[in-house]
Amino acid sequence: MHIGLIGGIGVAATVAYYQRLTRAVADLGKPLELTISHGDVHTLIRNNLADDRQAQANIYAKAIDQLAGAGADCVAITSLGGISVSRRPRQSHPCRSFLQ
């Protein structure tokens, strides 16, 4: 499975996800396929303060498209503060199921 991460929102969280994923996949004896898309924490904060969930969902949708284009089978956002967004992304995509 190729995992996509929307990281950089909390760099430390991205590192923690990366460390845990590499350890878990190594324990399974499998290779890790991982792609990280860098999110912008300042934009996230601005959108959260403005309660502009759709704008943030659109940013995530673009990152998800990029990660899917890189071959990701699933996507995770590596920040608890980054997941409060619109329930409906712009388009339907298997990697977007967590936004629905």
Side-chain angles (χ1 to χ4, degrees):
M1 175 182 288
H2 184 157
I3 300 169
L5 297 181
I6 299 175
I9 299 165
V11 174
T14 304
V15 171
Y17 271 76
Y18 185 47
Q19 289 172 327
R20 290 178 182 162
L21 285 167
T22 55
R23 187 173 31 244
V25 173
D27 289 347
L28 294 172
K30 300 196 178 218
L32 175 63
E33 294 182 62
L34 175 71
T35 303
I36 300 173
S37 173
H38 182 75
D40 178 39
V41 70
H42 301 292
T43 302
L44 171 66
I45 291 169
R46 187 174 56 250
N47 288 335
N48 278 345
L49 289 174
D51 196 29
D52 196 346
R53 296 175 185 208
Q54 190 58 53
Q56 193 61 43
N58 291 342
I59 290 167
Y60 288 149
K62 180 180 177 184
I64 291 166
D65 287 342
Q66 291 171 338
L67 292 165
D73 299 305
C74 62
V75 174
I77 299 172
T78 64
S79 167
L80 291 177
I83 60 173
S84 179
V85 298
S86 171
R87 290 189 276 289
R88 299 197 189 278
R90 292 176 297 160
Q91 301 170 16
S92 177
H93 189 282
C95 287
R96 292 193 185 157
S97 61
F98 71 94
L99 287 176
Q100 296 176 352

